[in-house]
Amino acid sequence: MKISKLAMVAAAAGLLSGGRAFAQQPAGGFYPSLYRPAADRQVAYEYESYYAGQPTPAAPEPMSPSDVPPAADYGAAMAHDHGNCCEPKCNTCCDERPRHFGAFLSGSYFWNPDDPIDRFNGPVTFNDRADELQLNQVYLYLDRAVDTGGSGWDLGGRVDALYGTDWRFTPALGFETNQDGTMDWNQDRRFYGMAIPQMYGQVGFNDLDIKVGRFYTIIGYEVVPANGNFFSTHAYTHQYGEPFTHTGVLASYALSETLALTGGFHRGWDQWEDINNDISFLGGATWTPSDVFSLAFALSTGAEDPAGEANRYVHSIVASYKIGCNLTYVFQSDIGHQEGAAGFTPGGADAEWYGINQYLLYDINDRWAVGARGEWFRDDDGFRVAGFGSPGGDFFGRGWGGSGFAGNFYEISLGLNWKFRPRVLIRNEVRWDWYDGLPGTSNVPGNGTLPYDNGSDDDQFLLGTNVVLSY
């Protein structure tokens, strides 16, 4: 099932240029169009919901943020800042343009009082550099969203490009990197480079949407693009427990006004060229019975080893409940399992990872919001959690295959977000991480290595700020 890079690029470009008609989608974060399939609705946290000052529409129903490939609706959300609406606070745009282009820039600085010698924040990725300015993301996208209005057909697609230090967490084997994981064409400095995390074409027919190409996963709550999350840092489940992207085919169908189904096939976790040529399954369902509650389930299963014999399974459950007008509670639980984890050896010992995330987000007014996140994540066999700053960790920090930290990771984050200007978001965050488990062994030089402060500590405190400039 080999698919060349040139063929995939051509398919995405062809669908971007075609189509019958396009209608810009409403920007309301929890009120997407009913006719947009579940896999195309919203990002993890929609900032427009508290800084745009939009009136709350009576319908359609809210949507859990977990069921979407993130960045699916960035064009719709940002279009209100571009003057594409008839009214400054309108809910439906009337400028029907065939294409949308957008961009944002994200930079951060995080202070680590331990002042680690290696300047890494242990297993905390994305904002991984201690006491150092990071240009995390210069993000560009070209989007032509599919919109059939529930009847007829339409064509569309999307291409995203990410430059900055965050590119290291989204590369696909066989595209941004070589098949063995070494650098290919896109790294220009030690920590800086480029990734193309999304490049797909879409076909829509009535309530059915089919996506072909490379796209973000539908698993989990948090997303890669910086403007899609409340917090600047990420939970362990997002960093280590879930894939970031898939290459394949994904179909979404709005079964009713409250239930949407998604299913398809992909070539593996964060892979462009499958290392075993065996396809894996990706699917889920989202249920939105009311305008205050939503529940989403998503899973991926398939062989991830070169021989195609060691299956990897992961699922996520995300529930979102709106308490009053301004307060939202989100619960997430993930479970993952890898057969033959030690070197992906068939018949070898298996590995498990699982955890619980909880979020409480409160919109003070249209410019200020506060939030809290608490997490417990267990890497039962030391298979997943690593980090660029951990001795012996690989470049991408995606797991050591049995040589990481077998134990429990906990983190508490508190955030204060300020919409300083219509296109300027400042996210302030304080975070405390701690670890309860066995010291790292195996590939780590010297036994007794701990996750934080260059391998010498079992907890870590971070205080930082992040600025997102949107265009």
Side-chain angles (χ1 to χ4, degrees):
M1 179 176 172
K2 289 290 183 182
I3 302 176
S4 69
K5 300 177 186 177
L6 181 60
M8 193 68 76
V9 172
L15 287 176
L16 277 169
S17 64
R20 175 174 57 85
F22 173 77
Q24 173 73 350
Q25 295 296 312
F30 286 95
Y31 301 93
S33 168
L34 284 176
Y35 300 113
R36 292 295 295 281
D40 258 353
R41 294 195 180 175
Q42 77 168 82
V43 295
Y45 185 83
E46 183 53 75
Y47 291 104
E48 296 288 344
S49 65
Y50 76 85
Y51 71 66
Q54 298 176 1
T56 302
E61 303 294 344
M63 193 67 188
S64 169
S66 68
D67 64 331
V68 223
D73 281 339
Y74 287 165
M78 287 192 238
H80 290 269
D81 285 337
H82 295 168
N84 294 326
C85 295
C86 299
E87 300 291 341
K89 297 181 180 180
C90 67
N91 293 312
T92 303
C93 291
C94 47
D95 178 13
E96 296 185 359
R97 300 181 299 169
R99 293 180 178 84
H100 280 85
F101 170 80
F104 67 86
L105 180 150
S106 173
S108 63
Y109 180 91
F110 272 78
W111 173 60
N112 187 330
D114 289 332
D115 193 21
I117 297 175
D118 60 4
R119 303 287 294 276
F120 279 104
N121 292 323
V124 175
T125 59
F126 289 84
N127 304 102
D128 62 330
R129 297 294 288 165
D131 312 320
E132 186 175 300
L133 285 171
Q134 287 185 256
L135 178 59
N136 300 93
Q137 299 181 11
V138 178
Y139 205 103
L140 310 173
Y141 65 87
L142 177 64
D143 178 34
R144 189 184 190 283
V146 166
D147 178 28
T148 67
S151 177
W153 64 274
D154 194 16
L155 301 179
R158 186 180 177 102
V159 177
D160 295 42
L162 183 162
Y163 176 84
T165 58
D166 287 358
W167 86 273
R168 297 167 292 162
F169 309 104
T170 63
L173 292 178
F175 190 74
E176 289 97 347
T177 69
N178 297 312
Q179 195 67 17
D180 60 0
T182 58
M183 298 302 95
D184 193 357
W185 52 268
N186 56 337
Q187 184 183 13
D188 65 349
R189 296 173 58 190
R190 183 184 179 192
F191 300 120
Y192 287 82
M194 177 175 287
I196 304 178
Q198 293 202 116
M199 182 170 55
Y200 60 80
Q202 280 180 288
V203 178
F205 180 72
N206 295 341
D207 292 331
L208 177 67
D209 182 301
I210 300 175
K211 183 180 298 184
V212 181
R214 185 183 179 194
F215 42 84
Y216 284 121
T217 189
I218 62 174
I219 297 172
Y221 175 69
E222 297 184 8
V223 298
V224 170
N227 68 350
N229 302 292
F230 182 90
F231 293 98
S232 176
T233 68
H234 286 271
Y236 285 92
T237 51
H238 178 72
Q239 298 175 96
Y240 298 106
E242 305 162 354
F244 290 145
T245 66
H246 306 279
T247 301
V249 179
L250 188 65
S252 302
Y253 183 71
L255 191 64
S256 68
E257 292 187 352
T258 61
L259 181 62
L261 305 178
T262 302
F265 301 94
H266 64 94
R267 313 193 73 191
W269 286 35
D270 307 302
Q271 295 184 42
W272 177 271
E273 295 179 357
D274 197 343
I275 60 174
N276 55 33
N277 290 322
D278 289 343
I279 60 175
S280 301
F281 175 77
L282 177 68
T286 303
W287 179 50
T288 57
S290 71
D291 60 355
V292 298
F293 178 76
S294 64
L295 180 66
F297 173 83
L299 69 89
S300 172
T301 182
E304 297 289 336
D305 64 311
E309 299 179 19
N311 190 78
R312 180 180 298 174
Y313 171 89
V314 65
H315 79 244
S316 68
I317 299 173
V318 179
S320 177
Y321 181 67
K322 196 168 182 62
I323 308 170
C325 295
N326 300 326
L327 184 63
T328 300
Y329 169 73
V330 178
F331 173 90
Q332 174 182 354
S333 176
D334 282 23
I335 296 177
H337 178 270
Q338 173 67 60
E339 294 179 347
F344 299 98
T345 304
D350 295 351
E352 295 83 28
W353 59 95
Y354 41 88
I356 292 175
N357 300 355
Q358 297 185 82
Y359 305 77
L360 201 59
L361 309 173
Y362 182 74
D363 300 338
I364 300 173
N365 53 40
D366 60 355
R367 302 189 69 178
W368 293 89
V370 295
R373 176 182 62 202
E375 178 185 17
W376 160 64
F377 182 81
R378 179 168 179 82
D379 188 357
D380 199 52
D381 304 278
F383 179 68
R384 294 302 302 170
V385 180
F388 291 176
S390 301
D394 66 13
F395 181 80
F396 297 105
R398 299 303 304 277
W400 293 355
S403 56
F405 300 99
N408 301 292
F409 286 85
Y410 303 89
E411 62 99 356
I412 295 175
S413 296
L414 303 176
L416 175 65
N417 290 4
W418 178 28
K419 188 63 182 177
F420 177 66
R421 289 288 186 271
R423 298 186 180 92
V424 182
L425 176 68
I426 300 175
R427 299 185 293 177
N428 303 291
E429 182 176 344
V430 58
R431 171 171 173 151
W432 180 38
D433 296 67
W434 69 99
Y435 171 71
D436 178 20
L438 300 175
T441 56
S442 188
N443 291 343
V444 179
N447 293 334
T449 303
L450 295 170
Y452 310 105
D453 192 12
N454 197 33
S456 65
D457 210 339
D458 62 0
D459 71 339
Q460 177 176 264
F461 177 85
L462 296 176
L463 176 64
T465 188
N466 169 258
V467 179
V468 180
L469 307 176
S470 299
Y471 168 78

